[in-house]
Amino acid sequence: MKRQKIAIENYKRFCNLDGSDFIASEFALKTLLRIVKFFKVKSILEVGLGIGSVSDTILKYVNSRKLSIVYNGTENNDFCLKVLPENVTFFSQINVFDNLNSLPNNKYDLIIIDGSDESLLSLKEICNENTIVFIEGGRQEQTKMVLSIFPKALYVNVITLKKNPFYAHENRSIKNYIGGGQLLFINPTFKMKIFWLNEKVLTFVKIQVRKFKSKISTN
């Protein structure tokens, strides 16, 4: 199954589940699958598994491609811990921990921050040389913290020009743009620098287009 189709179908599915108020956007899911494929990610840590929209999407993709991946995640919310086994098709492939401090001594290719964790300051201990960090949505507090830990990281706010689809969760207006994410390369390779530069240019262009459309609509 193609990446785009997996992301769209999964987003639609999770929008109808209990606890879906703050799930990752359709665009964020597409972006994560693109990162997993482009950088051949072998190990993932998701900080804040929630009800499982991100993990289910990624694991469906890697299993459809018969790829091998280590997937660890943190979660301590009772409701989320209860529904995760029901919501995530390949739940048996996730190692769940209470928080970052309870993780085994592993290093990760990709760290997804989809929730809060007071132990984020220990992030440096679980990154390999070229770890990619993706912070879902706005989450400015977490972004500032990660940038303070990795001040030399290349950072870009990944956005889209598409607006929320009609099937989006009820608290997301179709008049608003789909949420994106914060992408950081803590010690970028040449390939990562090219990817970052491309996203930086695209984000700049998209911001200008948004401003132009906003100006037109108010006149």
Side-chain angles (χ1 to χ4, degrees):
M1 191 182 296
K2 293 184 177 180
R3 289 180 291 124
Q4 299 267 340
K5 187 175 181 181
I6 291 174
I8 293 170
E9 289 186 355
N10 246 33
Y11 182 69
K12 286 180 179 179
R13 174 184 166 233
F14 274 85
C15 278
N16 294 313
L17 298 180
D18 290 339
S20 62
D21 308 56
F22 303 106
I23 60 172
S25 70
E26 184 177 286
F27 176 68
L29 296 178
K30 291 178 181 177
T31 301
L32 284 167
L33 292 188
R34 184 158 60 99
I35 290 170
V36 169
K37 179 184 179 183
F38 192 77
F39 294 105
K40 299 179 181 178
V41 171
K42 300 295 183 184
S43 57
I44 295 176
L45 168 65
E46 183 181 354
V47 182
L49 287 163
I51 64 170
S53 65
V54 171
S55 55
D56 188 56
T57 301
I58 292 176
L59 288 173
K60 277 181 178 173
Y61 171 70
V62 299
N63 278 277
S64 71
R65 305 291 295 178
K66 297 181 179 179
L67 303 174
S68 177
I69 197 167
V70 173
Y71 204 111
N72 288 355
T74 66
E75 188 54 67
N76 56 20
N77 179 275
D78 290 339
F79 172 77
C80 292
L81 290 171
K82 178 183 177 181
V83 300
L84 275 168
E86 304 169 7
N87 295 345
V88 181
T89 305
F90 297 98
F91 179 73
S92 62
Q93 296 178 17
I94 304 177
N95 302 304
V96 183
F97 302 88
D98 288 340
N99 51 54
L100 291 179
N101 291 329
S102 62
L103 288 170
N105 188 26
N106 290 359
K107 307 287 185 178
Y108 302 93
D109 296 334
L110 173 62
I111 296 177
I112 303 164
I113 300 176
D114 198 18
S116 60
D117 191 314
E118 294 180 358
S119 53
L120 268 182
L121 287 173
S122 64
L123 208 60
K124 198 169 187 177
E125 307 302 320
I126 54 176
C127 289
N128 62 33
E129 186 179 0
N130 306 115
T131 294
I132 301 166
V133 179
F134 183 85
I135 303 172
E136 193 278 324
R139 300 187 188 278
Q140 292 303 311
E141 184 178 340
Q142 287 93 333
T143 302
K144 289 179 181 178
M145 185 176 293
V146 175
L147 284 172
S148 71
I149 300 169
F150 305 105
K152 295 182 180 180
L154 291 181
Y155 158 67
V156 58
N157 178 19
V158 184
I159 64 173
T160 179
L161 289 175
K162 292 185 178 180
K163 295 192 175 183
N164 289 311
F166 69 90
Y167 49 81
H169 191 276
E170 60 185 12
N171 68 358
R172 301 188 183 190
S173 170
I174 58 174
K175 295 180 180 180
N176 296 333
Y177 289 105
I178 297 175
Q182 320 302 315
L183 181 60
L184 300 95
F185 298 100
I186 67 169
N187 185 33
T189 61
F190 179 75
K191 185 176 182 179
M192 290 175 178
K193 289 178 181 178
I194 297 300
F195 190 95
W196 168 82
L197 181 60
N198 181 66
E199 292 302 316
K200 199 77 174 175
V201 171
L202 285 174
T203 295
F204 174 79
V205 172
K206 290 172 186 176
I207 289 174
Q208 301 312 308
V209 172
R210 284 187 179 187
K211 288 179 179 178
F212 178 75
K213 286 185 175 181
S214 177
K215 186 177 180 180
I216 293 297
S217 64
T218 55
N219 289 341

